[in-house]
Amino acid sequence: MALDQSFVGRTYPPTAPYEVGREKIREFAEAVGEANPVYTDPEAAKAFGHSDVIAPPTFVFSITFRAAGQVIEDPQLGLDYSRVVHGDQKFAYSRPVRAGDRLTVTSTIEAIKSLAGNDILDIRGEVHDEAGEHVVTAWTKLVARAAEEA
Amino acid sequence: MTAKIAYDDVEVGTELPAQTFPVTRATLVRYAGASGDFNPIHWNEKFAKEVGLPDVIAHGMFTMAEAVRVVTDWTGDPGAVVEYGVRFTKPVVVPNDDEGALIEVSGKVAAKLDDNSVRVDLTATSGGQKVLGMSRAVVRLA
């Protein structure tokens, strides 16, 4: 069933702040095999002009995707999450995410399309720090594959 | 100090050092924990097959994280990345053996932009198939 177009443009309330920890960044960097000390050693990060260790570029997805849960699980929208695959992902950074950041995400439904029975949902997540400064915007395209005929 | 590559030393067509990234089931379990994405298609073969996949597949975000390492290893400072986007075209299938899968990534400077930045176009393949499309990063150079 096609999703309701009237949800396009809907913005959800900002999430509670997510506090970025040094050890969480280390864990993520190790999980993706990153050995760059800028992720684990504050002195190495400072040599690049950062005030503390920074996170790998895709780290913030964990936070924005959790925030997108507000959309995905909105019972009024009615998305069948069991059929969802990740189509596209894009980030635009004002600065890297760093340890000590307290980040909030504001999610907006940018577009809803229906193509060959698939529902395609574009969600934009605006990530701001505690001072209200923009850190990164994440665009996530989710595709809910058409249900097979029973 | 930011990137270790100078804008003036780069031309359109400049190739970045290519890299190959291994991925096994253990890699995926570790990534699931670190990222919080516990979707069973990334660790449970029975579940993956039930939903029509050939086998367990890598998280798209894992592949995306590996691909950009070609850019960040080149520039030195991952904080120099201004934009990064990909399309997930094919899943990286990860068999349950000691080998797992390989993700092969190459990159090339596609455009020189304002503000000392360049656009790098990435190619990522696994098992001879392209796994990312429209994979592009904009990075600010020295």
Side-chain angles (χ1 to χ4, degrees):
Chain A
M1 193 175 67
L3 296 176
D4 183 350
Q5 282 289 328
S6 73
F7 277 74
V8 175
R10 182 171 299 208
T11 294
Y12 291 75
T15 57
Y18 174 101
E19 186 166 327
V20 180
R22 282 182 183 169
E23 295 303 333
K24 191 65 194 173
I25 291 176
R26 177 197 302 275
E27 180 190 19
F28 186 90
E30 286 177 353
V32 298
E34 282 278 13
N36 192 327
V38 74
Y39 299 130
T40 50
D41 176 0
E43 293 309 314
K46 281 173 190 157
F48 280 114
H50 305 299
S51 59
D52 204 325
V53 294
I54 64 169
T58 62
F59 173 88
V60 75
F61 180 77
S62 303
I63 305 166
T64 59
F65 192 63
R66 187 182 301 187
Q70 288 175 294
V71 181
I72 294 164
E73 291 156 18
D74 184 338
Q76 290 179 295
L77 180 63
L79 186 71
D80 179 0
Y81 188 65
S82 72
R83 308 204 62 82
V84 165
V85 295
H86 198 175
D88 291 29
Q89 183 61 42
K90 185 179 171 189
F91 302 101
Y93 309 88
S94 290
R95 65 161 174 85
V97 168
R98 57 182 173 244
D101 274 337
R102 288 170 58 82
L103 302 176
T104 58
V105 186
T106 306
S107 299
T108 299
I109 299 180
E110 274 202 336
I112 294 173
K113 287 179 192 133
S114 186
L115 202 66
N118 300 322
D119 283 319
I120 302 164
L121 186 64
D122 288 308
I123 302 168
R124 186 181 76 242
E126 299 280 0
V127 181
H128 291 89
D129 65 16
E130 208 166 22
E133 299 290 326
H134 177 263
V135 178
V136 52
T137 299
W139 289 269
T140 301
K141 186 185 290 290
L142 299 177
V143 181
R145 293 170 297 147
E148 284 127 26
E149 296 297 324
Chain B
M1 182 178 170
T2 49
K4 64 187 179 192
I5 302 288
Y7 180 79
D8 291 338
D9 294 341
V10 173
E11 297 302 331
V12 170
T14 296
E15 293 194 11
L16 282 58
Q19 294 192 59
T20 299
F21 304 103
V23 46
T24 65
R25 293 289 176 86
T27 316
L28 297 184
V29 169
R30 180 180 262 221
Y31 183 78
S35 69
D37 182 345
F38 295 103
N39 189 327
I41 61 174
H42 305 306
W43 50 268
N44 183 331
E45 190 168 322
K46 175 172 169 284
F47 184 91
K49 287 180 172 165
E50 274 170 11
V51 297
L53 294 166
D55 204 335
V56 162
I57 62 168
H59 305 70
M61 290 306 300
F62 175 82
T63 305
M64 185 176 185
E66 298 308 300
V68 80
R69 289 175 60 190
V70 164
V71 179
T72 55
D73 285 356
W74 180 61
T75 60
D77 180 9
V81 177
V82 178
E83 274 183 36
Y84 178 38
V86 306
R87 175 165 297 166
F88 301 107
T89 50
K90 287 261 187 220
V92 174
V93 178
V94 182
N96 186 24
D97 57 22
D98 296 335
E99 308 285 312
L102 296 174
I103 301 168
E104 293 170 348
V105 182
S106 61
K108 147 162 100 169
V109 174
K112 293 189 82 171
L113 310 172
D114 296 340
D115 204 15
N116 270 21
S117 57
V118 298
R119 192 187 95 212
V120 174
D121 287 2
L122 295 165
T123 303
T125 59
S126 185
Q129 288 208 299
K130 202 170 160 184
V131 293
L132 297 178
M134 298 290 289
S135 182
R136 297 172 164 185
V138 174
V139 61
R140 190 164 294 135
L141 302 181

